[in-house]
Structure formats: structure tokens, C-alpha cells
């Protein structure tokens, strides 16, 4: 697994010179990179401008080392826009679907002001970047299970964080995904298919085009 991740990181798109948009986060963002149809690839096609991509499967907000830690992915970068997600792998490692309060609090407090996610976003904002945080969709693998609860709480807290800063935009991938539409998902019924990655890019691109 580690060898595969190392190879994937080596084949990552990186950050081309002049890129004003950089995508970071976990496997939802990185998926379909090998076919040139990841979220970053699809954004680049829609924006007609270079888009960086430092996302990596298994990346966490709090845990992980090197590029498997999402804040580390963005070290030294200050693009105009950072598009990212995160938290699913933290929840997977830190709790089961019925006892996630402590892990959620470590990620982001109920009022959206404290925790690893607000700290990351505040750091990016201090660098001058605007932030688009992509909240998770509901996948067929977890739809209708107890695992939906912690993710709903995460979304609510992310909304509170975004409401405090006009330079932070929360986009909800559930707006363009349905767990009943299997064409949007890879064979694992968890990650996005190429069509799913395109849907995510279509959701995010208008936010980036709205730059004054």
C-alpha cells in the first residue's frame, strides 16, 4: 500500500507555474488522476487555466505524514484559490460511526472556530488564498447507515466556519450526487467515477470564475 501511494504521489500533477488554483485533500479529489479526469483535471479544462493538484488518497487533516497530511500538502503554497476537502480518513481512523464526538471536536468545533480544519483554513487565509471547502457526498456504501450522522454534523460545523469569512466558500457535493445513481461512483461504490469527478468540477468552477 505504501509503495502504491508513493508511486501515486510521484505521478501526481503537482503545481504548474502560474497556477492560481490548487486542489488538495484526499482520495475524492485524487481519484481518476491516472486517466486525466480527476477533479483538478476537470477544473483545468473548464477554467482554461493551469490547476495544481497535491491531493492524495488516505490523506488526513490531523494525522498522516508528509503528503498524507493535508496541511503538509499545502506547505509553502499561496495560490489565489485553494480547493480542498478532508476529514473522512480522520473519522475512519479515529472513531466508529456511533462514537465520533471527540474526533469531530478535534477536527472542528460546533461553532466552527476551533480545531484542525479552522486552523488550516485560517492559515491559508493569512497567506492570501481564498478557500473552497468541498463537503462530502453520500456514497452508496454508507447511505442509510449510522455513518451518515457524523458527516451531517461535519457539514453543519463547516457551514458555521464558512459563514464567518467571505473568503471561505462551502460547496456541498450532495447537491450534484445521489447515492442511487451508480454512474457517479467507481466500482467500490465510494469514490467518484469520471462522471462523478466531472460533477464535482462543475459544482466548484462557478465559484472560481466569480473572482472579481
Amino acid at each position: 500500500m505504501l509503495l502504491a501511494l508513493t508511486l501515486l504521489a510521484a505521478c501526481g500533477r503537482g503545481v504548474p507555474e502560474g497556477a492560481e488554483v490548487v486542489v488538495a485533500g484526499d482520495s475524492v479529489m485524487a481519484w481518476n488522476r491516472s486517466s486525466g479526469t480527476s477533479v483538478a483535471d476537470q477544473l483545468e479544462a473548464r477554467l482554461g487555466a493551469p490547476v495544481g493538484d497535491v491531493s492524495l488518497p488516505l490523506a488526513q487533516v490531523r494525522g498522516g505524514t508528509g503528503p498524507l497530511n493535508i496541511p503538509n500538502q499545502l506547505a509553502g503554497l499561496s495560490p489565489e484559490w485553494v480547493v480542498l476537502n478532508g476529514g473522512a480518513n480522520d473519522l475512519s481512523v479515529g472513531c466508529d460511526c456511533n462514537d465520533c464526538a471527540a474526533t469531530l471536536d478535534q477536527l472542528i468545533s460546533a461553532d466552527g472556530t476551533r480545531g484542525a480544519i479552522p486552523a488550516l483554513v485560517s492559515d491559508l487565509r493569512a497567506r492570501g488564498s481564498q478557500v473552497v471547502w468541498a463537503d462530502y457526498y453520500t456514497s452508496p456504501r454508507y447511505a442509510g447507515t449510522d455513518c451518515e450522522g457524523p458527516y451531517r454534523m461535519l457539514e453543519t460545523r463547516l457551514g458555521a466556519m464558512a459563514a464567518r469569512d467571505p473568503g471561505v466558500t462551502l460547496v456541498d457535493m450532495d447537491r450534484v450526487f445521489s447515492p442511487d445513481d451508480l454512474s457517479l461512483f467507481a466500482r467500490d461504490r465510494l469514490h467518484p467515477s469520471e462522471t462523478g469527478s466531472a460533477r464535482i468540477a462543475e459544482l466548484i468552477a462557478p465559484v472560481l470564475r466569480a473572482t472579481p
Side-chain angles (χ1 to χ4, degrees):
M1 177 65 76
L2 289 176
L3 176 60
L5 287 171
T6 300
L7 291 173
L8 181 57
C11 295
R13 297 175 75 258
V15 183
E17 185 175 354
E20 296 183 349
V21 178
V22 173
V23 174
D26 60 29
S27 54
V28 171
M29 294 299 181
W31 218 249
N32 300 310
R33 183 183 294 150
S34 61
S35 62
T37 55
S38 67
V39 172
D41 292 312
Q42 305 263 14
L43 280 173
E44 187 168 277
R46 285 160 177 74
L47 298 173
V51 173
D53 184 6
V54 294
S55 62
L56 196 65
L58 300 183
Q60 300 177 46
V61 180
R62 296 183 65 247
T65 59
L68 291 179
N69 174 267
I70 295 171
N72 285 348
Q73 294 175 359
L74 294 161
L77 299 178
S78 53
E80 183 175 354
W81 287 96
V82 174
V83 176
L84 76 165
N85 74 330
N89 293 314
D90 299 80
L91 288 168
S92 177
V93 170
C95 66
D96 63 40
C97 294
N98 297 303
D99 188 22
C100 288
T103 303
L104 280 167
D105 286 344
Q106 291 167 348
L107 286 171
I108 182 168
S109 61
D111 63 1
T113 62
R114 300 179 307 281
I117 290 175
L120 170 58
V121 170
S122 294
D123 183 47
L124 293 170
R125 294 290 293 128
R127 299 182 214 174
S129 298
Q130 298 185 74
V131 174
V132 178
W133 194 283
D135 183 61
Y136 293 106
Y137 51 72
T138 303
S139 71
R141 185 185 292 185
Y142 294 117
T145 72
D146 289 341
C147 292
E148 287 193 74
Y151 286 94
R152 301 256 183 243
M153 291 179 64
L154 178 62
E155 180 184 1
T156 298
R157 296 178 182 203
L158 290 169
M161 176 186 71
R164 295 174 177 272
D165 186 345
V168 179
T169 301
L170 178 66
V171 297
D172 181 5
M173 290 189 274
D174 266 331
R175 287 178 50 198
V176 293
F177 273 75
S178 168
D180 297 325
D181 186 350
L182 297 184
S183 72
L184 300 175
F185 299 92
R187 291 181 181 179
D188 63 4
R189 301 171 69 242
L190 177 63
H191 293 98
S193 64
E194 293 183 5
T195 301
S197 291
R199 287 278 185 95
I200 297 169
E202 289 167 2
L203 178 67
I204 293 170
V207 180
L208 305 180
R209 293 193 189 105
T211 308

